[in-house]
Amino acid sequence: MTASPHLTLLTGASRGMGRAMAEQLLDAGHDLLCLSRKPDEALAQHAGRAGRRLEQWAQDLSRAEAAAARLETWLTARGPEGLASVTLVNNAGVLPQIAPLGDVAAADLAQALRVDLEAPMLLAGAFLRATAAWPCERKLLNISSGLGRRAMASQAAYCAAKAGLDHFTRCVALEEAGRPQGAKVCSLAPGVIDTDMQVQLRGADPKRFADRASFQGLKDQGALSTPAEAAARVLAYLRRSDFGSNPVADVRD
C-alpha cells in the first residue's frame, strides 16, 4: 500500500453522504483521515480493497477545540511530502430538536451550534495554519444547506449555523485570496438528500413544525437524492477547475 498524492480530511464519515463520500474518495485514490463518532470497520475494509491508507478518529465534535488541536499536530507531523493536494471537508452536522426556539432546551441548542458551526471554524483554522506553507494545492469545503439561505420556523439553530458557515467561508475566502499560496474555499449546499436528517424532519410534530408536509412531499415525489448520488455531485464540484471562485455555492446552480 503506497501513499497517495491526494489526502482528504473528512468529518462525519460514518453515515449518510459523508460515508458515501469516504467510499468514493478511496475508490478515486485518495488517502483519508476521517473524524466521526466511531470508527467504521467496513470502511476500513473498503480502504484495504482500494489499496488506500485510512485513519479514523472517534471524535466528539462538540469538543472541537481538542479535535482541532489534534488535527493541527497531526498535519504538522505529516508534512506535505509527496502530496499534490490536501483537502478538508467539513461535512458533519446535527439537527437539534425541531420546535420553536423557546421550546428547545439550551443544551440541545448549544450542542448543535458547537457541531454545526464551531467545529468547522476551529478545524478550518487548524487546517489552514498547519498547511500554510505547503506547496501543494489546498482546498477547504464546508457542506452547507439551503436552510442557511432560507429561513424556516422551528429550525432557528440549524438555519443560523448554516448561515454562519456560509459567511465565515466568505471571510476566509477573502483572507486566502490575499496569500501567495492561498487555499481554495467554498461553502456548498448539496441539495436535498434522503438521510437521517430527512427522517427527523418528516417525523416531526406537525403542530410544532409547519413545514413537515413539504418534506414529506419531497419523499413522496421521489425528489430526494440518495447519499451516493449527492456525494458524487459534491465531489465532482470539488474537482472543478473553478472550485473556490464562488465561496458560497449550490450543486444545483
Side-chain angles (χ1 to χ4, degrees):
M1 189 177 296
T2 58
S4 170
H6 303 289
L7 172 62
T8 299
L9 322 169
L10 173 65
T11 69
S14 61
R15 60 182 182 174
M17 187 180 73
R19 180 64 160 71
M21 281 196 289
E23 291 184 345
Q24 292 177 26
L25 285 163
L26 290 168
D27 290 340
H30 288 234
D31 288 340
L32 287 185
L33 169 62
C34 295
L35 287 69
S36 304
R37 292 176 182 173
K38 58 183 179 180
D40 185 334
E41 180 55 34
L43 187 60
Q45 293 173 4
H46 192 111
R49 290 192 298 271
R52 297 272 47 95
R53 296 180 176 182
L54 168 67
E55 187 169 340
Q56 301 187 74
W57 294 353
Q59 186 67 58
D60 178 358
L61 288 178
S62 67
R63 300 180 177 180
E65 190 172 358
R70 184 180 181 187
L71 179 64
E72 187 168 355
T73 299
W74 188 89
L75 285 166
T76 301
R78 196 267 177 228
E81 289 75 20
L83 289 179
S85 74
V86 60
T87 302
L88 170 61
V89 181
N90 277 312
N91 166 72
V94 297
L95 192 66
Q97 181 183 1
I98 303 166
L101 184 65
D103 295 339
V104 182
D108 200 16
L109 290 171
Q111 167 86 359
L113 290 170
R114 288 190 187 110
V115 174
D116 293 345
L117 182 57
E118 180 181 298
M121 290 188 74
L122 294 182
L123 291 171
F127 171 75
L128 293 169
R129 278 192 302 276
T131 64
W134 290 19
C136 60
E137 181 176 54
R138 299 182 300 136
K139 294 181 180 180
L140 169 61
L141 172 61
N142 293 322
I143 300 299
S144 186
S145 169
L147 290 184
R149 302 154 202 184
R150 178 170 67 94
M152 182 172 287
S154 298
Q155 287 288 287
Y158 190 76
C159 288
K162 292 302 184 180
L165 191 76
D166 286 349
H167 212 48
F168 108 70
T169 303
R170 291 185 181 99
C171 296
V172 173
L174 292 172
E175 294 163 1
E176 292 300 304
R179 300 183 188 278
Q181 297 171 222
K184 297 178 179 179
V185 182
C186 181
S187 185
L188 182 68
V192 285
I193 312 164
D194 201 1
T195 63
D196 291 345
M197 282 189 181
Q198 285 287 325
V199 174
Q200 287 178 259
L201 292 163
R202 294 194 299 270
D205 181 351
K207 294 179 182 178
R208 299 208 292 177
F209 185 41
D211 288 277
R212 177 184 179 277
S214 65
F215 286 97
Q216 184 62 55
L218 290 172
K219 177 68 172 178
D220 294 343
Q221 296 159 20
L224 300 175
S225 301
T226 67
E229 291 167 343
R233 283 198 288 269
V234 167
L235 295 179
Y237 194 96
L238 184 62
R239 292 191 297 268
R240 284 172 46 160
S241 60
D242 63 346
F243 176 84
S245 60
N246 184 2
V248 175
D250 191 307
V251 291
R252 296 164 291 191
D253 290 341

